[in-house]
Amino acid sequence: MLIFCPHCGMRPSEEFTPKGLAEAPRPALGGDDRPEDDAWQDYLHTRTNKAGQTNEYFHHSLGCRRWIVVHRNTLTHEVTGSTMASEFWQNQQQAQDWEAGQ
Amino acid sequence: MSARLPQPNRLDHGGIINRDRPVTFTFDRRVYQGFEGDSLASALLANGVKLFGRSFKYHRPRGILGAGPEEPNALVEVDRGPADRDPNHRATMLEIYEGLETFSQNHIGPLNMDLMEVNDLFSRFLPAGFYYKTFFFGGLQAWYRLYEPIIRRAAGLGRPPLAADPHHYDKIYTHADTLVVGGGIAGLTTALSLAKAGQSVVVCEERDRMGGSALWQGETFNGETGAAYIAHMCREIEAAGGRLLPRTTVFGVYDAGTFGAVERCHDHLTKADRAPHTARMKYHRIQAKAVVYATGAIERSVGFNGNDRPGVMLASAGHTFLGKYGVRVGERVSLFTTHDGGYGTAAAFSAAGAEVTVLDARTDAADVSIDGVRVIKGVYAGQAHGRMGVRRVDYDGASSGSLDADALLVAGGWNPAVHLTSHTTDRRQSKPVYDAELLAFVPPELVDQEAAAGSVTGAMSTADCLATAQAAGKKLGGKKIELPTVDQALPVSKPMEMWAVPGAGDAAFLDMQNDATVKDVKLAAQEGFKSVEHMKRYTTLGMATDQGKTANVTGLALLAAATGRDIAQVGTTTFRPPYTPIPIGVLAGHHRQRDYAPFRYSPVHAWAEDNGATFMEAGLWMRPAYYTAPGDKDWLDSAVRETRATRGSLGITDVSTLGKIDIQGPDAAEFLNRLYTNGWKTLPVGKARYGLMLREDGLVFDDGTTSRLGENHYYMTTTTAHAAAVMTHMEFMHQSAWPDLAVAFASVTDQWGALALAGPNARACLAKLFPEVDVSNDGLPFMGVIETQWQGYTARLFRISFSGELAYEVAVPADIFDAFWQAALQAGAEWKITPYGLEALNIMRIEKGHVTGAELDGRVSMDDVGLGKMVSSKKDFVGRAMSEREAFSDPDRAKMVGLVAAKPGDKIIGGGIVFDSAEGPFDYTTMLGYVTSVAQYSPLKDRAIALAFIKNAADWHGKTLYVVSHVHGKSIMEVRAESPHFYDPNNEKVMA
Ligand SMILES: [Zn+2]
């Protein structure tokens, strides 16, 4: 299997370490969050494990050491692309804002 | 050249073997001769050998069924000594060489009178599901006492090697625009088309040479022989930059154009011909943009009684032995066919002088007249007779009768070798599709980067195969090439549907390797195993080493019939890699034994080796555990001597292996603030601070000290064990959660060597090493940091202590660390400086109550290890929200406590369970906690001490407890609980 790293290009999957689904961003720094807050539950525990398009964290641990989010279809194994983790949640936010504005 | 031995079944001409090179080999210690180019199967058949082995379950005598990788019966062992004994070679794929020694498998006593054949007599008691049913019959005791010993003895194919594999194996990344799997005429034609279009092409062919059946079938191409046509096609492919890999099996297809292939480089050569230091096999991890499946088709048999007798073989196999090797497997040949293809084989045998009778299952078959071939239409083989080799064949149907025969060839139709096309679900479905016209499974619809060529598509004639190759080339951007005119084409037709003949029962075999019969499949259906996956597991059909290559399709066709469904409805089981068995060694390559993983060595490793160090592994690092000095009785003696010397005067230890991370940037302090539980904004330049990291779930992750070297410059240390994980964690948090923080960091573990000086004379020693620097208690107070120079190189002085003594850590660039270490030894000589290893360090840190990985095992909270106060309530950090989970404040939670053995000489066993009574019961209902770290001797307490986690830890201080080790015969150890800070609890020494 090959994984596309936005920094290094197509690289063999052995160079990467998976972490799991990127389904919710880390809750914003606050101060009085409680463990039972939905945002924390979603970030830490809730995984939809859906059949279809997913976003997964991979670490290019034996390469550039960037964290990336790989967009993969679990039904077809098709990898449609990757985003730097550092840009992923911002992009998501922008997309949401854009949709909300429509 | 050795004398020529007779080969009774070898014709005096024909075949593509090298008759000028006789090859002498043995089978079951008997000497035989074949020719260069022979497989073990063809050479033994040439010598009249019919019996090759015994079946797995019933130990029935078995011969050769196929001529290629599909062979289920003829598994043999190649013996080159105990370390190099290699079982389960298919005789049809094993190339012979001078001196090859082979043995039949799976029998007790001689092959022709196997003592286990008694299983066959009892076969009615060993029907499908036997193994499952025995569990219910007579219960477990019967299983252990009666059945299991018998089955154990009978089970297993071949004998395993008895010593480490002596061979080399290589791993290679192989790249191509297009991978062509299968070097038959279709694969080569497609490869040529692609290579001519400028693509880089790799062709993998499982057999010893390219060409497949075109080499010997007798068809001509533009008037040339098949062998000549193939040879010049190969030259053209190579001239266009293509790569041909014979003896290379593509065993698996993986996502995104990744393929696994094994190239066999040695197994066909004598030992002398194997170049030294070269690999026996190479594992190619092939990365290709596109793939052509040109994997061919595998002929299938028909279920009839006695179809497993030695001498009953697939028509294509008989034809192969004749055409490819010049070996005639019989003189009086019966040929049972369901389609026109059988007539080509009949004609070839007749031309080779055999007397041939064709049993054509079709009443309406067209009349074919071949010299010397008798045809009986509308009949099928009902029963083959002859325990050690076919003697007679009974036929039945439109007419019935009995034929004298020494070979029975079966042409039951073709199964395209769709296995590889179903390994992947990459962008498409994986399951092959049933073609009711062809009566066969064909590949599913392929994606743009895939094509199929040749008989795997269901194409039957050579001309049709070439047309599919042309189409495959076109699909993948190849150049159009002129297809040859095929003359003397072999007859082909679709088969008549006949999976098993009427009356086929428990001697009509489908899976010959696992002895699954027509009756077993019917029984499975009867007992309700209607899913093909259930039937497979119940009957074990297709679960042997050949994965049912000759059995699966027939089995599921019979299941469909027995359950009244279409074959398409029943579907197939899942084919999984590897296509054929591969040695595990080739996947490991050089990653074995010492080379399994790299070792990391400190810059003073050589010095430690020369000075009596015994090393222990810490992750990949090799760290000195203790240094043996003259007079030391054992490791504990050494460790205690090192501890006393350090506490009494001065010790030195190598801490280069600690993880070191350099952190810089305007937001560095903010970053640390978010990573650690405690606050970092107030840490001044020139100071270090102990920090605790949590995981996001609120449990303790790691600890260490971080020093502020400059306004925006920090230097973090981690535990040796967690160094990599901490780095990864920091990268994740920075990139996924706080990309806006202006901070950069890099691991500098390998860039800095570091040592610790500990003991009352540490300061004096440090002053001697750095005479220019004020290292007094005012100049370098506890947790102070000074960056200075040592002989022109940067040196960092940290006043930190893990041992509980007055101590310093000094880091210098790794390149000069050895010199600095020597200088420190010299400087410390007047105080009898003593190097200490991990064991002494362990004693000292347990006496001091410092935690390590043994305590921070991923289950403990800050409070559990007594560090709950290290939380800044003014800020957010990783794990803060979750650290407030209710369960963490449960008073019943086990917390850290110190344990002291009741009297000197008593042991405390690590991992022991803590109870408050010596009476028991010693189980989870009464347990208080568990021991994490043990110092077998503490000089401070003059006995063993330990750290443990127990419920209501503080309440037990001063009381007697009992440690019980269930893995040491429940030995009970009496201990006293107290604060884990045994040594210098008020930190007077470290602050002195
Ligand atoms: Zn990368």
Side-chain angles (χ1 to χ4, degrees):
Chain A
M1 187 181 172
L2 297 181
I3 292 174
F4 178 74
C5 170
H7 186 253
C8 309
M10 279 291 191
R11 303 298 306 167
S13 56
E14 291 92 324
E15 291 182 0
F16 296 83
T17 312
K19 188 179 174 78
L21 289 165
E23 295 204 312
R26 186 183 195 274
L29 294 162
D32 54 357
D33 307 15
R34 296 289 310 155
E36 58 272 19
D37 289 352
D38 284 349
W40 278 104
Q41 290 300 327
D42 287 349
Y43 176 58
L44 279 170
H45 305 302
T46 312
R47 297 292 179 268
T48 56
N49 192 27
K50 68 185 165 198
Q53 202 61 43
T54 59
N55 299 311
E56 293 163 311
Y57 280 122
F58 277 83
H59 188 211
H60 198 184
S61 44
L62 298 176
C64 65
R65 293 197 66 88
R66 297 294 297 183
W67 278 95
I68 62 176
V69 175
V70 176
H71 315 304
R72 187 172 74 93
N73 188 319
T74 52
L75 283 174
T76 62
H77 290 202
E78 189 170 16
V79 175
T80 48
S82 322
T83 310
M84 288 289 189
S86 54
E87 291 159 16
F88 179 71
W89 295 112
Q90 276 172 335
N91 294 353
Q92 296 279 103
Q93 191 56 49
Q94 279 166 12
Q96 272 173 22
D97 293 348
W98 187 81
E99 261 173 41
Q102 289 300 296
Chain B
M1 186 180 292
S2 55
R4 292 218 169 198
L5 302 174
Q7 300 181 36
N9 288 347
R10 181 88 65 182
L11 303 177
D12 38 6
H13 65 276
I16 51 170
I17 44 172
N18 184 357
R19 289 169 187 268
D20 297 333
R21 295 283 298 274
V23 172
T24 310
F25 65 96
T26 68
F27 176 60
D28 284 344
R29 304 197 191 285
R30 271 194 67 177
V31 177
Y32 298 96
Q33 213 167 54
F35 293 118
E36 189 181 83
D38 259 326
S39 69
L40 179 69
S42 67
L44 286 173
L45 289 168
N47 283 279
V49 173
K50 282 196 168 166
L51 187 58
F52 279 74
R54 293 277 177 165
S55 69
F56 181 61
K57 193 156 119 188
Y58 302 140
H59 290 252
R60 282 170 70 95
R62 290 283 165 78
I64 294 280
L65 180 73
E70 73 280 9
E71 174 58 30
N73 289 329
L75 300 181
V76 299
E77 179 177 294
V78 175
D79 201 346
R80 309 179 201 95
D84 203 359
R85 194 162 68 192
D86 216 12
N88 298 330
H89 276 276
R90 287 148 299 161
T92 50
M93 295 299 284
L94 187 60
E95 297 171 51
I96 59 166
Y97 54 82
E98 191 66 29
L100 172 69
E101 290 182 52
T102 61
F103 295 88
S104 55
Q105 301 182 164
N106 207 30
H107 53 87
I108 298 172
L111 177 58
N112 60 0
M113 38 186 293
D114 178 7
L115 296 173
M116 293 301 287
E117 195 177 338
V118 57
N119 271 6
D120 192 20
L121 303 176
F122 289 123
S123 71
R124 75 184 59 185
F125 303 120
L126 293 172
F130 166 75
Y131 294 93
Y132 303 123
K133 285 171 181 166
T134 29
F135 282 109
F136 296 96
F137 197 76
L140 264 184
Q141 283 310 309
W143 170 258
Y144 286 129
R145 288 199 192 134
L146 186 64
Y147 301 111
E148 198 193 7
I150 298 172
I151 291 165
R152 280 233 179 270
R153 177 133 201 224
L157 283 171
R159 300 175 300 163
L162 295 176
D165 189 333
H167 301 286
H168 289 290
Y169 297 93
D170 272 339
K171 287 189 198 179
I172 295 173
Y173 277 85
T174 298
H175 296 268
D177 287 328
T178 304
L179 166 69
V180 178
V181 188
I185 194 162
L188 291 175
T189 302
T190 314
L192 182 59
S193 148
L194 299 171
K196 280 194 164 171
Q199 291 194 17
S200 71
V201 177
V202 172
V203 184
C204 294
E205 165 55 43
E206 190 169 30
R207 309 302 297 252
D208 56 331
R209 56 194 278 188
M210 298 285 153
S213 55
L215 289 170
W216 52 264
Q217 268 188 165
E219 294 176 325
T220 62
F221 302 87
N222 292 338
E224 279 183 301
T225 65
Y229 180 75
I230 295 288
H232 85 230
M233 197 152 49
C234 287
R235 279 195 301 275
E236 272 191 82
I237 293 169
E238 288 187 316
R243 226 178 129 190
L244 303 176
L245 293 174
R247 299 189 179 91
T248 303
T249 304
V250 176
F251 63 79
V253 180
Y254 305 90
D255 289 350
T258 305
F259 303 84
V262 168
E263 182 182 0
R264 295 175 297 278
C265 312
H266 277 179
D267 281 4
H268 60 294
L269 298 173
T270 63
K271 210 158 194 175
D273 288 337
R274 297 171 189 173
H277 312 299
T278 59
R280 177 190 179 201
M281 294 185 190
K282 294 173 189 166
Y283 164 36
H284 293 264
R285 188 192 188 284
I286 300 175
Q287 201 61 56
K289 296 193 188 98
V291 60
V292 178
Y293 302 107
T295 45
I298 296 169
E299 198 171 27
R300 62 189 180 224
S301 186
V302 177
F304 61 85
N305 292 330
N307 65 349
D308 66 324
R309 298 287 192 206
V312 180
M313 70 174 68
L314 297 171
S316 60
H319 202 166
T320 304
F321 291 120
L322 187 67
K324 187 173 180 186
Y325 303 106
V327 175
R328 195 180 60 192
V329 297
E331 287 174 46
R332 293 179 315 285
V333 177
S334 290
L335 196 150
F336 170 28
T337 187
T338 62
H339 58 94
D340 288 357
Y343 289 89
T345 305
F349 270 85
S350 175
E355 185 188 298
V356 184
T357 306
V358 174
L359 306 173
D360 193 327
R362 304 166 299 176
T363 39
D364 57 347
D367 283 324
V368 183
S369 155
I370 308 169
D371 277 351
V373 176
R374 181 182 165 211
V375 178
I376 311 174
K377 288 191 201 174
V379 298
Y380 51 83
Q383 170 84 50
H385 300 279
R387 209 169 65 87
M388 295 298 171
V390 174
R391 281 181 290 108
R392 196 158 50 81
V393 178
D394 296 341
Y395 63 89
D396 213 334
S399 59
S400 59
S402 197
L403 298 166
D404 270 350
D406 54 1
L408 171 54
L409 306 182
V410 186
W414 293 89
N415 294 325
V418 295
H419 310 72
L420 294 182
T421 67
S422 65
H423 281 180
T424 178
T425 53
D426 189 0
R427 288 159 289 173
R428 61 167 169 81
Q429 70 154 34
S430 66
K431 295 271 185 187
V433 178
Y434 188 68
D435 184 327
E437 273 289 294
L438 288 170
L439 302 178
F441 282 90
V442 293
E445 197 175 328
L446 302 174
V447 298
D448 290 349
Q449 297 85 348
E450 296 175 305
S455 52
V456 71
T457 63
M460 282 182 286
S461 70
T462 305
D464 286 351
C465 286
L466 289 170
T468 59
Q470 180 84 282
K474 188 178 171 199
K475 181 180 180 186
L476 299 180
K479 211 168 155 182
K480 190 171 169 30
I481 56 171
E482 279 307 313
L483 293 181
T485 316
V486 184
D487 284 319
Q488 296 173 48
L490 293 170
V492 293
S493 76
K494 285 164 193 165
M496 168 187 163
E497 184 157 16
M498 179 177 270
W499 306 101
V501 307
D506 57 5
F509 286 83
L510 300 173
D511 184 328
M512 308 245 177
Q513 204 172 100
N514 264 357
D515 278 343
T517 66
V518 172
K519 195 180 163 193
D520 289 334
V521 173
K522 289 181 178 162
L523 183 67
Q526 223 173 55
E527 299 197 351
F529 295 92
K530 290 181 180 168
S531 146
V532 63
E533 296 287 353
H534 291 161
M535 182 274 282
K536 167 180 162 177
R537 282 154 184 80
Y538 192 63
T539 61
T540 71
L541 185 139
M543 290 172 73
T545 64
D546 64 338
Q547 290 191 56
K549 289 190 175 55
T550 55
N552 283 349
V553 177
T554 311
L556 58 94
L558 291 171
L559 180 70
T563 55
R565 289 175 295 172
D566 292 338
I567 294 171
Q569 270 178 294
V570 171
T572 63
T573 55
T574 310
F575 298 109
R576 293 194 177 87
Y579 174 63
T580 50
I582 49 174
I584 207 84
V586 74
L587 297 180
H590 289 285
H591 293 268
R592 48 185 274 192
Q593 295 170 341
R594 202 194 167 285
D595 297 329
Y596 179 71
F599 287 99
R600 297 178 80 181
Y601 297 114
S602 146
V604 292
H605 184 81
W607 180 91
E609 262 184 330
D610 292 344
N611 286 274
T614 297
F615 295 91
M616 67 164 68
E617 289 179 32
L620 299 177
W621 288 101
M622 295 299 280
R623 298 188 66 179
Y626 53 94
Y627 296 84
T628 305
D632 288 354
K633 288 196 296 287
D634 57 15
W635 67 270
L636 187 57
D637 212 24
S638 301
V640 169
R641 174 183 51 73
E642 292 166 13
T643 303
R644 286 198 166 114
T646 304
R647 294 245 192 267
S649 174
L650 179 60
I652 180 172
T653 194
D654 179 9
V655 292
S656 302
T657 61
L658 289 181
K660 311 177 200 77
I661 299 171
D662 197 271
I663 305 165
Q664 302 190 30
D667 290 333
E670 173 62 21
F671 187 47
L672 292 172
N673 236 12
R674 296 182 188 183
L675 288 173
Y676 282 121
T677 60
N678 43 340
W680 291 82
K681 293 262 167 104
T682 56
L683 182 72
V685 175
K687 277 288 196 180
R689 181 167 286 174
Y690 176 78
L692 188 69
M693 280 189 206
L694 303 187
R695 305 191 311 214
E696 202 73 275
D697 64 6
L699 293 163
V700 175
F701 176 36
D702 198 55
D703 66 346
T705 55
T706 292
S707 309
R708 188 167 191 182
L709 299 176
E711 185 58 29
N712 294 323
H713 187 188
Y714 292 81
Y715 172 89
M716 175 189 284
T717 61
T718 73
T719 58
T720 302
H722 282 157
V726 169
M727 185 70 192
T728 300
H729 171 70
M730 290 167 65
E731 286 166 333
F732 181 74
M733 294 315 300
H734 180 220
Q735 294 173 35
S736 77
W738 312 311
D740 49 322
L741 286 188
V743 60
F745 45 95
S747 166
V748 293
T749 303
D750 290 329
Q751 279 68 29
W752 294 89
L755 58 78
L757 294 169
N761 290 312
R763 181 176 292 133
C765 182
L766 189 71
K768 225 168 133 187
L769 279 164
F770 296 94
E772 327 272 279
V773 182
D774 175 10
V775 297
S776 69
N777 207 13
D778 291 335
L780 183 54
F782 184 57
M783 294 310 255
V785 178
I786 293 174
E787 191 164 75
T788 178
Q789 299 236 309
W790 183 76
Q791 297 193 355
Y793 295 93
T794 306
R796 291 172 182 167
L797 280 45
F798 307 90
R799 172 103 183 257
I800 51 183
S801 172
F802 194 55
S803 55
E805 294 301 324
L806 167 66
Y808 302 88
E809 282 184 21
V810 185
V812 297
D815 289 348
I816 59 147
F817 182 64
D818 187 51
F820 180 68
W821 176 270
Q822 306 287 350
L825 289 174
Q826 247 170 34
E830 63 178 286
W831 299 285
K832 292 202 164 54
I833 190 168
T834 301
Y836 62 95
L838 277 181
E839 295 293 356
L841 187 67
N842 206 39
I843 294 174
M844 289 189 271
R845 70 98 188 164
I846 292 172
E847 286 181 340
K848 181 68 186 166
H850 277 316
V851 294
T852 60
E855 283 73 37
L856 307 183
D857 63 356
R859 296 182 294 175
V860 299
S861 72
M862 294 178 284
D863 276 335
D864 298 347
V865 286
L867 298 170
K869 291 183 212 88
M870 282 191 58
V871 179
S872 161
S873 55
K874 293 190 203 107
K875 58 156 191 151
D876 202 353
F877 53 86
V878 174
R880 190 200 61 76
M882 284 294 152
S883 69
E884 289 169 19
R885 284 196 272 182
E886 273 172 35
F888 289 160
S889 50
D890 184 342
D892 247 13
R893 269 187 86 80
K895 290 184 182 165
M896 196 162 81
V897 71
L899 302 178
V900 184
K903 58 179 188 297
D906 278 4
K907 279 195 162 189
I908 304 177
I909 292 177
I913 310 294
V914 184
F915 297 93
D916 62 359
S917 144
E919 306 306 316
F922 301 120
D923 62 25
Y924 67 93
T925 60
T926 53
M927 80 176 264
L928 290 178
Y930 51 92
V931 176
T932 52
S933 294
V934 178
Q936 274 319 341
Y937 182 77
S938 157
L940 175 72
K941 296 279 185 185
D942 186 33
R943 64 198 71 191
I945 61 170
L947 298 179
F949 284 82
I950 61 172
K951 291 175 194 167
N952 306 308
D955 298 348
W956 292 103
H957 286 189
K959 297 187 179 141
T960 297
L961 292 169
Y962 301 89
V963 174
V964 178
S965 175
H966 289 67
V967 291
H968 293 85
K970 288 197 182 168
S971 55
I972 302 167
M973 297 153 272
E974 190 184 320
V975 295
R976 249 177 91 82
E978 56 179 82
S979 154
H981 306 290
F982 303 100
Y983 188 74
D984 187 25
N986 297 322
N987 281 343
E988 281 152 13
K989 287 180 190 283
V990 295
M991 314 273 269

